[in-house]
Each structure stands twice: as C-alpha cells, then as structure tokens.
Amino acid sequence: MVYHSTFADEEGITKACGCPLLPLKSRKKGPAPVSEQGKTDIVDEAITFFRCNVFFRNFDIKGPADKLLIYLTFYINLSLRKLEGCRTLAEGSKAILNLGVENVTIPGESGFPFTGLFSLPQSQQEAELLRDYLKQIREETSGRLLGVAYRPNGTPNKWWLAFAKRKFMNIALLDK
C-alpha cells in the first residue's frame, strides 16, 4: 500500500495550479507559509515515505497534497542520482544545492515532467507563485536530504544512495 500525505485539503491553504502551498519548516525565503518547528511538514513526509513509495508503479491521488508528494518523490530520486558520484558531503552539497534552484519549470512549459498532475497557470502571477514555491520546496528538500544521504562523518549513506536506481511509478526522469 502506497503512503499518502497526511495533509488533507485543509481550509485556508492557498493553491497555485492545483498545487497546495503547504507550510514549511524553512528559513529559506519564499511564498510558503511558515510551519511550527516541531511539526511534520510535506518535506518530512516526502523523505520519510520515499524509500517505501519508490517501489510502487501506481499512485492513487487522494488529495492535492499527494500531487506535491509525487513531485517531491521524483525530485528526491533525481537528487539521489546526482549524489551517486559524490564521495563526500562537500561534493554532494555543491551538486544537490545547485539542482534545487536550477530549471524550475512549471505546468505548460517544456521540460515540466508531470503534464496532467497540475493545472496550467491562469495568470502570470499564479505562474510565478508556483515557480517560487517549487524553488523554495526544492531547496528545502535538498538541504534535508543531505542529512540522510550522508552520515555525520561526511561519508555517503549507502542505504539511501542505493535508491537512486529505483524508478517511481516505473518512470525515470531525465536530468538535464
């Protein structure tokens, strides 16, 4: 059974292109509302559920937060592939933090890997809001992923990097 997000369609959550702009425990600047530090956010869920969910070929979407969970699962997989050749935390940090800010495409642009997952932006303002949110959530995910992909001594954690070879929903994203 696939793991779904625990974030239901909560009242008062802003959406852009059908993507909920969920709160993040982040110090990075962006449009995401700030979450309490002791509370689980969508990035925590994506990292926690990644190693289980990556084995599934199908993912039944039960709410808008599941769409964001799918996006983050693919992003984590792409990040782990970037980290495969990095033998130290310093190398990994450089590779993955750059990935978090580059090529943030949104629905309707060429290169956006999930046609149909999110709706097309209705205005330039909505497009920029989604782009900024995805950039912020990718940066936050990259930073937290380094904490699990590398041990405290800076060596790679093979129990995480081994999952770079897995295909979620039998799809392998091509990194550019």
Side-chain angles (χ1 to χ4, degrees):
M1 185 170 132
V2 83
Y3 289 87
H4 294 278
S5 176
T6 58
F7 293 97
D9 197 10
E10 298 174 14
E11 289 286 321
I13 296 293
T14 305
K15 292 182 184 170
C17 301
C19 176
L21 307 182
L22 297 171
L24 298 176
K25 297 183 296 191
S26 175
R27 290 187 217 128
K28 307 220 182 299
K29 191 173 182 176
V34 178
S35 177
E36 298 172 26
Q37 286 301 321
K39 198 173 176 186
T40 299
D41 66 4
I42 190 70
V43 174
D44 292 332
E45 279 190 349
I47 290 172
T48 301
F49 298 156
F50 174 77
R51 293 190 291 178
C52 298
N53 282 348
V54 79
F55 288 105
F56 292 97
R57 289 182 175 209
N58 299 314
F59 193 103
D60 183 33
I61 297 172
K62 297 201 180 214
D66 280 345
K67 294 177 181 183
L68 191 53
L69 189 62
I70 289 170
Y71 180 88
L72 289 174
T73 300
F74 278 108
Y75 179 73
I76 291 169
N77 186 256
L78 181 64
S79 299
L80 289 174
R81 287 203 323 254
K82 288 278 188 189
L83 292 175
E84 269 187 306
C86 302
R87 304 311 323 150
T88 66
L89 178 60
E91 287 176 34
S93 295
K94 186 177 179 184
I96 199 172
L97 294 176
N98 287 337
L99 179 65
V101 295
E102 67 185 23
N103 287 339
V104 180
T105 57
I106 59 171
E109 295 180 346
S110 68
F112 187 74
F114 311 108
T115 54
L117 189 62
F118 300 115
S119 59
L120 296 175
Q122 300 300 311
S123 66
Q124 184 64 31
Q125 187 177 13
E126 183 182 24
E128 287 307 311
L129 178 63
L130 181 62
R131 185 183 320 279
D132 292 343
Y133 182 76
L134 291 179
K135 181 180 177 183
Q136 182 183 8
I137 203 164
R138 286 167 58 137
E139 285 182 75
E140 188 63 33
T141 303
S142 295
R144 293 191 208 172
L145 187 60
L146 286 170
V148 295
Y150 289 89
R151 293 186 178 93
N153 67 1
T155 60
N157 183 341
K158 70 178 181 178
W159 302 113
W160 265 91
L161 295 179
F163 284 86
K165 294 174 178 44
R166 298 290 317 171
K167 293 183 203 173
F168 177 55
M169 295 179 14
N170 210 26
I171 299 171
L173 293 179
L174 301 174
D175 48 327
K176 297 170 177 106

